[in-house]
Structures are given as structure tokens and as C-alpha cells.
């Protein structure tokens, strides 16, 4: 099987599995316990925290471990909105966020907050002037994702951060779940106050993530109880998950620089092969090297994405229709719609997503399979006769 | 054109014929500090110290140098051929490389080599004009410029210096002899260590561990603090003294109100004996006058009475707030405030004596076999040797 669905989740690296297993067997203490077993677990968490903090270029004290990207996003947005609602009740986000951000804003809207959903251009990019225009006296939070999970557009995070330095009252949250471990993520340099990451997108374990929360920023916690993580997130720490997360971070950091240009090359190759032999398709997002090279979104108007997914699966290649979290819905993707793509095109969209474990053979096989399958399906659906 | 880092050192010049030793010590400390960067060279030429960064980014090197005592100033410098066109180009680039870009500047040129075809004042004018033309929005201010762009023509080569970043000052570690620090785990003693290091002392530390009354975590905390001090100190030996037996005996044989006083007298005796064995010439404590019961002048007098070697108290005149500020600056604060019992809090009497009397102490200690207890404790010391490099690794490095 060829896994070209790495933005949904990734295969845990065998090294990560080794660390997680070993920790489950040997370091099973509760880090909050006073005795030696607890102390050992606490020291392990401390070291793991330092490893991940170093990759982000931040202080270990600014890291809050969570159960994953969804919790990190919920915690950042709700926590900030609740904590600072007396400062203002206006929030800013974009139309192309992941549901774990978007739906939180919908909920806050229902609770009386005013939310601006910024539009994007055809490539899925937010415009800096739109951010600036949306800011007002009442604004307390801006939340913009780093890399779009459906099309791979990279948002101008450091530019927005630069802009927001002039608005000290406004917190800046970034959902970096798709980018962490694959490219430079530097919240402190970029002027980001809150940043969500998740382990399972970089060949780490599921069920563990992290929220960077700039030192000095206190949020209203989602989970209260034993007061773990400086009272910001109660619950016994997931020690094996956290150790596995740190291991996955190290492995990703060691490889990502060399991998980036290789992925760019492969993405270009996939596009070249499609352009060479296919018609009636479009590339979503930034078709040049400006987008994230590990995500390629292709639309085939007249075809249903589900059919393409199954046809490719018969060839032992797995890809996604839109993002995994929304692939069961029949509706056109909210994100593609926001980019101005019509419904007929949007419902025929697949996402090919690569990782550091992808090989040139996988890319080759995927290109060949598309070249074979798409014309067949298009013939059956009489796409060319329309 | 080469990037260089110029390092200025201060007080060393005052030290007369010892100057050379001090300089060599400083150079060695700088080399140790920058050991982790491959290809970095530390050189002394024309009576100045330069760091050649090689292929490394300069920021972390500058950061490292701000932790080396004896350095009073650091500037980014460029070295070019002594040729006007090259100097012009380098000057413009150096101004652009400053962060933030200065709004005002002046040029201060010096010509060590008088056969360079332009006089200093001419160089000032030519280079100043070149910068004005090529850096948008910049103005000349000869009185209080944001940037003083210094240019030195020396033989074949010309040096250009940018903004002066203040160094930490003091004397190079290792130039003033060895001290033994009483390291408790609180906020004060790491700051005392820092100040002793700043005056050139070589540091060893001693810690009193009373398991099970104080936990493994309390000990780990002290190891972490000593580890943090290696940033300034280089290698640090941490001597962990088994203290349970002594505390238990004091508890059973001495009056409650005198417990802390007697305990501290025992600590000083053990520290002094350890200092002797390690050839340290003084003890260092984090005491500040009047801060707690054991730090009244009466207490200090009674406690100090058992010591033969000098007891240095670098924090003696400082307020808690000042101490906390330094603690945060040097990075020990976060560790210091971790809430574990230490050997002073665990048997804290309800009302410790604030004006202990020497004769009372001596009378009570008759119930203890002081010499044997001290000897046993010193013999039972576990010594942990910490080096700056261990900071990169940890107990679980095999996982990561």
C-alpha cells in the first residue's frame, strides 16, 4: 500500500513506537507523584518538553501538552475569548480554517461574540490589508492557520504577526498542525502568542499535541482538576505519548531540510505528469513552489472525489477526498468554496499528501495510476462531451 | 570581506604584570564557551581579541560571549582590504546589518598606517557620504548617534566596527582562586555564586541532603541549578553531603529554637572541611543581612564563629527584589522557585531564635560528637561533576 494521505495522519515511525513502548513498560509513573517512579516520569516529560520547545525556538515553560490539535485549537480560542472577554468581544479568523477552529468560532458567535471570517484569494491566501481592515478597538483575538490542510496554501503568518505587534491588546493564534515538523515554525520570531501542534501528523503517536502559549499569557482552562501544566490543562500527563512526540520531533527535524526541496521536486513532477496526459482538471492552491510541497489538491470536474479515492485504492494508493475530517459529508468543501471554486469542481477534488517517508517510487506509482484511472473515469462519466 | 566579532575587555588592564595571565585566562574561557561551534577561532592580534565565526551564525556566538566574565563590550566587525572602494561597500553593509537599522550615525576613522592616501577626517567625510546616499532615511548626528561606525586602517587590512553590545564585565573565571558555595536550592545562593564567579572565582558547590526528609527531587533541583551555573562557571563540582544523621541528632538533643543555628554551624564545619580537601580558600553563602532569623547579625556571628576560612556573602547588602532580578537574568529563578522541601524548612521550629548566644550553642553541642559527625558526613559525600556540555544531554537522551 502506498500512503499518499499523510495530512490525515501518518504511520508512526518505528523509532517512535520503540520509545512509546519502552516508556509504557519502564516509565509508567505519574509525573505528579512524589516518589521516585513519579520523579522519573516528571524528568522524562521535562526533557521531552525541552526537545519540542527547542524545535519551536521557545522556552519550555511556554508549552502546554494536550490531547492533540483539536484540543489545542479549542483551548487557545475559547481560553483566550473567555479570559479577555472584558477587554473586547470581537474575534477574527478566516473562511478556510480547520473545523476545530472554525466550529469553535461558530460556537463563540452563538455565545455573543462578534466574529469576522476573512475571505481568501483564489489561491487560498489571506490578504494582510484585510486583516488590518478587520481590526477594531473591540478585537481581542486573531486566529489564522499556517498551512491549509486541504490545499497547502501557506498563510503570511510572520507578516500578520508583524502587523499585530502594533496591537498589543490582540492575541494571535496560529494552527500549525500541518506545518510543524515539516517547515520552520518560529512563534516567538513571528509574533505569535498561541500556536497549536499535533504529534500524529509527523509520524508520532495519536492523542498527543501541544499548545505554545507565550509566557505571561494566561488562558481560561478548558479542563480543570488536578492543576497539571501550571493550572492551564488538568489531567494526568500522557507520558508515553509525550515522549513519542519528542522523538517524532527530533526525527522530523533531522530530515526536513533535505526533504523540502525533494518534496518540491516531486510535487512538480506530479503536476507535470498530470498536465502532460490529462485534461479537465485544475490544481488548487498555489501551483508554484510557494505552497506547501507536501500537499497537492487536484479537482476533476464531473467526477466524484469518492470514486477517484476508491479507484486509486484498488491500485493500492491511498489519498483523501478533501480533508479526512470532513470526507464523510456530501457537501462541497467550505475551503474550496471560499477560494471561489464552483461546486461541481469542488466535489471532484482529491488531496495527495506526502511526508518524509514518501519515496520517489510512491510518487511515480501515484502519477501512473492517475494517468490511467482519470481518463477511464472521465470517459465513463462523459466528462469530455459536456 | 570577513565577518568578525571584536571583544573588548576592561579591568584586566589595571592588573599590571599579571595582565598576560588574565588575558590568557579570558581567551581560554572564551574558547571553552564557544567549543560547541565548529570552526570558530578566538585570536589575539594588535592587542585586541577577535572571534572568527567561520560558517556559524553570529547571534548565538554573541549570546555566548555575553556570559563570559571579563568581557565589557562586543561588536560585530568586518575586515576588508585597505582600499577605499572596499571600505565604502563594507560600511554601507555594516550599517544595514544593524538591528534595528540606526536612525543616526557618525563615522570615526583612525589611520594607524599613515601611508594610506586619505587622512582620517577625509575618510569620515567620504564614508559618511556613502552611507547617507545608500541607507534610506539615515542622518548624521555627531553628538548622540545611534551608531558610531568606527573604522581602523591597519596595514593591508581595515576593520569596521558596528554597535557596541555591552558585555557582562567582571574578571575571568579562574583568575581569583577557588571558593566553596553553600548551595541550598533557593533563589539566593545561585545569585551569590554568580557574583563570586563575576569576580573571577572558580566554583565548587556543597549541598546538604536529608533523605527522606528532603526528596530526590529537591536534590535534582540543586543539580539542575549547579548545571545552570556551568554557563558562567565552566565545570562545577557539586558535593552532596548526607545530612540526615546530623539533623536527627540535633533534633533529639538540642532545643527547638536553636535547631537552625546549630544546624548551620554544622554545615559551615562540613563545608570548611570539604573546602580544605578541595583546596578552596573561602566559603560563599547567599545570606543577606536581616532576611530571615538565621541571617541576623547575632546569628551570623554565632554561625561564623566555627569557621576559620573567610565566608564571603556577596548578597549582604541586597534587597530580596534585587536578588530576584539577577536570578531571573541569569536563568536560575524558574528552577529556584520549584516547591520542594529543603533541609532548612523541613525541621523549621515554630519560633527560631533570632539572637542566639554563643555560650548556649556551645553548651548544647556538648551533647553531640561534633568531630565524628562532621568526619562521617564529609566521608559520605557524593561528588557530581557537571560540565557545560551536559546541558545538551539528559537522562533520557537514548530516547531522543
Amino acid at each position: 500500500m502506498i500512503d499518499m494521505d499523510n495530512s490525515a495522519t501518518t504511520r508512526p515511525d518505528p523509532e517512535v513506537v520503540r520509545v512509546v513502548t519502552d516508556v509504557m513498560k519502564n516509565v509508567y509513573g505519574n509525573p505528579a507523584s512524589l516518589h521516585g517512579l513519579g520523579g522519573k516520569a516528571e524528568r522524562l516529560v521535562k526533557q521531552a518538553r525541552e526537545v519540542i520547545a527547542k524545535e519551536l525556538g521557545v522556552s519550555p515553560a511556554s508549552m502546554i501538552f494536550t490531547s492533540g490539535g483539536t484540543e489545542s485549537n479549542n483551548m487557545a480560542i475559547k481560553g483566550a475569548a473567555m479570559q479577555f472577554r472584558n477587554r473586547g468581544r470581537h474575534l477574527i479568523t478566516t473562511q478556510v480554517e480547520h473545523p476545530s477552529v472554525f466550529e469553535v468560532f461558530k460556537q463563540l458567535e452563538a455565545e455573543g461574540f462578534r466574529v469576522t471570517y476573512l475571505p481568501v484569494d483564489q489561491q487560498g491566501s489571506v490578504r494582510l490589508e484585510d486583516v488590518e481592515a478587520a481590526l477594531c478597538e473591540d478585537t481581542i483575538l486573531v486566529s489564522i492557520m499556517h498551512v491549509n490542510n486541504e490545499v497547502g496554501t501557506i498563510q503570511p503568518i510572520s507578516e500578520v504577526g508583524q502587523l499585530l505587534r502594533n496591537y498589543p491588546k490582540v492575541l494571535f493564534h496560529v494552527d500549525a498542525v500541518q506545518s510543524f515538523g515539516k517547515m520552520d515554525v518560529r512563534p516567538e520570531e513571528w509574533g505569535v502568542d498561541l500556536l497549536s501542534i499535533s504529534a500524529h501528523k509527523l509520524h508520532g503517536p495519536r492523542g498527543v499535541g501541544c499548545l505554545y502559549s507565550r509566557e505571561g499569557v494566561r488562558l481560561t482552562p478548558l479542563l480543570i482538576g488536578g492543576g497539571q501544566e501550571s493550572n492551564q490543562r488538568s489531567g494526568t500527563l500522557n507520558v508515553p505519548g509525550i515522549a513519542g512526540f519528542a522523538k517524532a520531533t527530533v526525527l522530523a527535524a533531522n530530515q526536513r531540510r533535505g526533504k523540502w526541496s525533494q518534496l518540491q521536486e516531486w510535487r512538480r513532477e506530479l503536476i507535470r505528469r498530470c498536465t502532460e496526459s490529462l485534461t479537465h482538471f485544475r490544481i488548487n492552491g498555489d501551483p508554484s513552489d510557494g505552497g506547501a510541497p507536501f500537499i497537492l489538491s487536484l479537482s476533476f470536474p464531473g467526477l466524484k472525489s469518492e470514486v477517484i479515492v476508491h479507484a486509486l485504492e484498488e491500485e493500492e494508493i491511498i489519498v483523501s477526498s478533501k480533508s479526512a475530517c470532513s470526507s464523510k459529508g456530501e457537501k462541497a468543501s467550505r475551503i474550496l468554496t471560499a477560494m471561489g471554486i464552483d461546486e461541481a469542481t469542488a466535489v471532484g477534488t482529491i488531496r495527495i499528501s506526502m511526508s518524509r517517508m514518501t519515496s520517489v517510487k510512491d510518487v511515480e506509482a501515484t502519477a501512473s495510476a492517475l494517468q490511467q484511472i482519470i481518463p477511464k473515469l472521465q470517459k465513463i462519466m462523459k466528462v469530455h462531451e459536456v | 570581506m570577513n565577518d568578525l566579532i571584536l571583544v573588548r575587555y576592561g579591568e584586566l588592564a589595571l592588573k599590571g604584570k599579571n595582565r598576560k595571565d588574565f588575558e590568557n585566562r579570558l581567551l581560554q574561557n572564551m574558547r571553552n564557551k564557544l567549543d560547541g561551534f565548529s570552526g570558530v577561532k578566538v585570536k589575539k592580534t594588535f592587542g585586541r581579541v577577535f572571534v572568527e565565526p567561520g560558517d556559524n551564525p553570529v547571534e548565538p556566538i554573541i549570546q555566548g560571549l555575553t556570559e563570559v566574565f571579563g568581557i565589557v563590550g562586543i561588536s560585530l566587525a568586518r575586515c576588508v582590504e585597505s582600499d577605499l572602494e572596499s571600505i565604502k561597500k563594507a560600511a554601507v553593509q555594516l550599517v544595514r546589518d544593524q538591528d534595528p537599522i540606526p536612525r543616526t550615525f557618525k563615522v570615526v576613522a583612525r589611520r594607524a598606517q599613515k601611508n594610506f592616501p586619505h587622512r582620517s577626517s577625509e575618510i569620515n567625510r567620504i564614508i559618511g557620504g556613502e552611507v547617507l546616499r545608500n541607507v534610506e532615511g539615515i542622518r548624521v548626528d555627531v553628538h548622540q548617534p545611534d551608531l558610531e561606525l568606527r573604522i581602523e586602517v591597519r596595514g593591508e587590512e581595515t576593520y569596521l566596527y558596528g554597535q557596541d553590545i555591552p558585555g557582562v564585565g567582571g574578571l575571568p573565571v579562574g583568575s581569583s582562586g577557588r571558593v566553596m558555595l553553600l548551595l541550598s536550592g533557593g533563589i539566593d545562593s545561585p545569585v551569590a555564586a554568580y557574583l563570586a564567579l563575576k569576580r573571577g572565582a572558580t566554583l565548587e558547590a556543597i549541598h546538604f541532603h536529608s533523605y527522606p526528609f528532603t526528596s530526590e527531587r529537591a536534590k535534582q533541583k540543586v543539580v539542575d541549578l549547579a548545571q545552570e551555573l556551568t554557563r558562567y562557571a565552566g565545570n562545577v563540582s557539586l558535593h552532596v553531603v548526607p545530612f540526615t544523621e546530623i539533623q536527627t541528632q540535633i533534633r533529639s538533643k538540642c532545643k527547638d529554637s536553636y535547631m537552625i543555628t546549630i544546624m548551620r554551624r554544622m554545615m559551615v564545619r562540613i563545608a570548611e572541611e570539604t573546602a580544605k580537601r578541595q583546596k578552596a580558600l573561602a566559603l560563599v553563602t547567599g545570606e543577606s543581612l536581616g532576611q530571615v532569623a538565621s541571617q541576623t547579625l547575632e546569628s551570623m556571628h554565632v554561625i561564623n564563629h566555627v569557621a576559620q576560612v573567610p565566608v564571603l556573602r556577596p548578597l549582604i547588602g541586597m534587597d530580596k527584589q534585587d536578588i530576584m532580578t539577577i536570578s531571573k537574568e541569569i536563568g536560575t529563578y524558574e528552577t529556584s522557585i520549584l516547591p520542594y522541601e529543603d533541609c532548612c524548612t523541613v525541621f523549621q521550629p515554630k519560633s527560631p531564635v533570632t539572637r542566639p548566644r554563643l555560650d548556649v550553642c556551645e553548651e548544647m553541642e556538648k551533647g553531640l560528637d561534633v568531630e565524628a559527625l562532621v568526619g562521617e558526613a564529609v566521608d559520605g559525600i557524593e561528588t557530581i561533576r557537571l560540565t557545560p556540555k551536559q546541558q545538551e544531554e539528559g537522562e533520557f537522551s537514548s530516547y531522543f
Side-chain angles (χ1 to χ4, degrees):
Chain A
M1 192 192 66
I2 296 168
D3 187 351
M4 294 296 252
D5 193 14
N6 287 285
S7 287
T9 192
T10 52
R11 183 163 76 90
D13 190 294
E15 283 292 289
V16 170
V17 176
R18 178 184 67 85
V19 169
V20 172
T21 313
D22 201 78
V23 172
M24 288 185 89
K25 283 183 192 157
N26 300 314
V27 197
Y28 56 85
N30 184 336
S33 301
L34 277 176
H35 47 66
L37 203 58
K40 193 173 175 190
E42 188 192 34
R43 294 194 301 277
L44 173 56
V45 169
K46 179 168 181 264
Q47 201 179 331
R49 196 188 299 275
E50 285 164 0
V51 165
I52 302 169
K54 193 173 159 219
E55 179 60 11
L56 287 170
V58 301
S59 121
S62 60
M63 314 275 295
I64 302 162
F65 284 114
T66 66
S67 65
T70 293
E71 187 191 331
S72 296
N73 284 336
N74 269 262
M75 176 178 175
I77 299 162
K78 282 187 202 170
M82 290 304 156
Q83 185 76 11
F84 301 108
R85 64 185 150 182
N86 294 329
R87 277 191 197 168
R89 306 205 123 219
H90 177 234
L91 315 167
I92 299 173
T93 187
T94 79
Q95 295 177 357
V96 295
E97 296 300 311
H98 187 269
S100 62
V101 168
F102 195 79
E103 294 302 325
V104 177
F105 280 105
K106 286 285 171 205
Q107 190 184 38
L108 288 170
E109 229 174 353
E111 283 173 23
F113 286 88
R114 193 160 63 80
V115 181
T116 302
Y117 298 92
L118 298 172
V120 293
D121 63 18
Q122 289 188 332
Q123 298 197 346
S125 265
V126 170
R127 282 167 293 247
L128 201 59
E129 54 268 32
D130 288 345
V131 180
E132 193 165 14
L135 286 163
C136 65
E137 259 307 290
D138 212 27
T139 310
I140 54 171
L141 176 71
V142 174
S143 176
I144 298 176
M145 71 201 318
H146 187 200
V147 168
N148 185 276
N149 54 304
E150 287 195 20
V151 295
T153 311
I154 303 173
Q155 300 293 359
I157 297 302
S158 76
E159 288 82 352
V160 175
Q162 189 63 38
L163 168 71
L164 291 177
R165 280 181 212 271
N166 305 321
Y167 299 83
K169 223 177 71 174
V170 180
L171 287 182
F172 185 22
H173 168 248
V174 170
D175 170 4
V177 167
Q178 286 295 344
S179 56
F180 179 70
K182 297 166 194 163
M183 52 199 290
D184 268 338
V185 176
R186 314 296 283 184
E188 222 165 78
E189 282 167 34
W190 296 345
V192 172
D193 303 296
L194 302 160
L195 181 130
S196 310
I197 58 176
S198 173
H200 78 103
K201 304 284 191 196
L202 47 135
H203 302 284
R206 281 98 266 275
V208 59
C210 185
L211 179 68
Y212 160 77
S213 173
R214 180 169 58 77
E215 280 184 88
V217 174
R218 299 295 291 179
L219 302 172
T220 300
L222 283 186
L223 302 180
I224 56 174
Q228 287 87 349
E229 299 295 84
S230 314
N231 277 323
Q232 289 283 278
R233 200 277 187 184
S234 290
T236 298
L237 285 170
N238 173 1
V239 180
I242 289 165
F245 190 2
K247 181 67 185 180
T249 301
V250 171
L251 294 171
N254 290 344
Q255 291 192 17
R256 70 184 167 85
R257 277 176 222 288
K259 203 71 196 181
W260 186 261
S261 54
Q262 201 170 39
L263 287 168
Q264 278 184 327
E265 205 177 293
W266 291 347
R267 187 171 184 267
R268 282 197 293 264
E269 175 65 9
L270 283 168
I271 292 172
R272 192 185 65 76
R273 293 276 295 267
C274 289
T275 315
E276 185 180 85
S277 58
L278 302 180
T279 59
H280 286 74
F281 78 100
R282 59 164 283 152
I283 301 152
N284 303 311
D286 190 340
S288 74
D289 285 347
F294 46 89
I295 295 180
L296 177 60
S297 169
L298 298 170
S299 290
F300 300 95
L303 301 183
K304 285 264 187 308
S305 58
E306 202 185 328
V307 178
I308 308 171
V309 169
H310 292 317
L312 282 170
E313 199 175 1
E314 280 190 349
E315 305 294 317
E316 303 262 286
I317 296 167
I318 57 169
V319 302
S320 171
S321 61
K322 304 188 287 181
S323 74
C325 308
S326 61
S327 56
K328 283 187 185 124
E330 291 281 310
K331 280 197 299 189
S333 146
R334 162 172 56 78
I335 287 150
L336 296 174
T337 308
M339 289 165 61
I341 295 167
D342 62 83
E343 192 176 335
T345 308
V347 296
T349 302
I350 60 163
R351 178 189 66 189
I352 296 167
S353 49
M354 299 179 278
S355 84
R356 64 178 174 81
M357 287 195 186
T358 305
S359 73
V360 67
K361 272 191 195 156
D362 300 342
V363 177
E364 173 61 32
T366 307
S368 302
L370 283 172
Q371 284 176 324
Q372 276 182 27
I373 288 163
I374 298 295
K376 267 192 220 162
L377 292 175
Q378 285 177 332
K379 201 171 167 199
I380 297 167
M381 298 307 294
K382 300 185 179 168
V383 168
H384 299 281
E385 291 167 29
V386 175
Chain B
M1 186 164 56
N2 293 312
D3 270 328
L4 290 171
I5 298 163
L6 170 75
V7 171
R8 291 188 302 113
Y9 45 88
E11 247 178 282
L12 309 192
L14 303 173
K15 292 284 174 177
K17 58 179 190 250
N18 288 332
R19 177 174 173 143
K20 197 155 194 83
D21 290 349
F22 282 97
E23 280 178 348
N24 290 339
R25 178 83 62 185
L26 177 66
L27 254 63
Q28 191 53 49
N29 291 352
M30 286 170 63
R31 289 195 180 107
N32 292 346
K33 186 77 198 180
L34 303 176
D35 198 28
F37 301 94
S38 69
V40 168
K41 290 207 175 77
V42 179
K43 284 186 174 169
K44 203 173 89 179
T45 41
F46 300 127
R48 297 143 206 261
V49 176
F50 284 108
V51 177
E52 296 179 4
D55 296 332
N56 301 283
V58 291
E59 286 80 15
I61 295 177
I62 292 178
Q63 175 58 38
L65 293 174
T66 60
E67 292 168 0
V68 177
F69 292 117
I71 295 178
V72 298
I74 303 158
S75 5
L76 204 54
R78 286 237 154 81
C79 174
V80 294
E81 247 176 83
S82 292
D83 143 80
L84 201 58
E85 283 312 307
S86 315
I87 299 171
K88 276 186 188 170
K89 238 164 92 188
V92 170
Q93 217 169 45
L94 192 66
V95 174
R96 285 191 182 143
D97 283 356
Q98 304 294 311
D99 182 28
I101 293 188
R103 286 162 304 168
T104 57
F105 79 111
K106 76 168 174 182
V107 181
V108 183
R110 268 178 58 196
R111 189 174 59 136
Q113 189 201 14
K114 299 297 178 196
N115 60 4
F116 187 73
H118 304 275
R119 302 156 70 88
S120 302
S121 58
E122 260 176 73
I123 303 177
N124 288 348
R125 198 166 38 73
I126 296 169
I127 302 301
E130 184 73 11
V131 171
L132 281 173
R133 272 191 298 281
N134 290 288
V135 181
E136 206 182 317
I138 199 164
R139 286 180 299 112
V140 171
D141 179 349
V142 291
H143 302 295
Q144 281 186 311
D146 289 349
L147 171 70
E148 190 175 298
L149 174 60
R150 283 165 295 148
I151 299 175
E152 266 182 43
V153 185
R154 286 188 170 270
E156 302 286 293
E157 287 167 340
T158 294
Y159 295 94
L160 298 94
Y161 309 118
Q163 204 69 272
D164 197 49
I165 301 154
V168 69
L171 299 171
V173 167
S175 57
S176 303
R178 187 178 303 270
V179 297
M180 183 67 64
L181 167 79
L182 280 79
L183 182 59
S184 66
I187 293 170
D188 301 343
S189 42
V191 176
Y194 174 83
L195 293 176
L197 287 163
K198 186 169 179 181
R199 297 310 300 168
T202 302
L203 189 74
E204 297 204 8
I206 188 164
H207 175 69
F208 299 89
H209 185 49
S210 299
Y211 196 76
F213 301 111
T214 59
S215 68
E216 279 300 314
R217 283 180 201 203
K219 177 175 153 192
Q220 185 59 42
K221 172 179 164 181
V222 170
V223 174
D224 290 348
L225 284 171
Q227 183 65 61
E228 276 155 31
L229 288 170
T230 63
R231 265 170 56 196
Y232 307 97
N235 298 344
V236 174
S237 290
L238 172 65
H239 308 282
V240 181
V241 181
F243 204 53
T244 318
E245 178 59 24
I246 292 177
Q247 277 200 308
T248 317
Q249 291 227 11
I250 297 173
R251 173 107 180 135
S252 67
K253 301 203 172 127
C254 304
K255 263 203 330 210
D256 263 12
S257 59
Y258 268 74
M259 270 197 59
I260 299 285
T261 314
I262 307 270
M263 189 183 83
R264 294 198 64 92
R265 280 164 63 94
M266 292 303 284
M267 286 178 175
V268 169
R269 289 182 178 112
I270 294 166
E272 182 168 273
E273 180 56 30
T274 313
K276 260 185 215 155
R277 294 189 188 189
Q278 300 301 122
K279 302 194 166 54
L281 298 176
L283 305 184
V284 175
T285 76
E287 288 162 307
S288 131
L289 193 56
Q291 200 184 84
V292 289
S294 66
Q295 297 178 14
T296 62
L297 209 46
E298 288 83 355
S299 285
M300 277 188 206
H301 168 74
V302 168
I303 293 164
N304 210 128
H305 203 264
V306 299
Q308 306 295 313
V309 295
V311 180
L312 308 180
R313 299 180 175 87
L315 310 185
I316 199 69
M318 293 175 80
D319 293 346
K320 194 75 186 178
Q321 203 56 47
D322 305 335
I323 299 169
M324 276 162 59
T325 304
I326 300 180
S327 169
K328 284 175 188 168
E329 272 168 20
I330 65 174
T332 53
Y333 182 78
E334 291 298 325
T335 308
S336 286
I337 58 171
L338 292 174
Y340 307 127
E341 293 269 14
D342 66 37
C343 55
C344 296
T345 55
V346 71
F347 289 131
Q348 183 99 48
K350 278 200 193 76
S351 53
V353 58
T354 53
R355 295 170 183 208
R357 282 170 43 194
L358 187 55
D359 54 344
V360 177
C361 287
E362 284 171 348
E363 189 55 38
M364 268 188 234
E365 282 174 2
K366 281 185 184 153
L368 304 169
D369 187 350
V370 171
E371 208 172 311
L373 285 171
V374 170
E376 241 170 72
V378 174
D379 289 340
I381 280 177
E382 174 202 4
T383 297
I384 302 169
R385 294 185 202 285
L386 301 162
T387 66
K389 275 177 209 146
Q390 280 171 11
Q391 250 168 342
E392 299 299 314
E393 298 172 14
E395 185 183 358
F396 298 98
S397 295
S398 63
Y399 284 155
F400 312 122

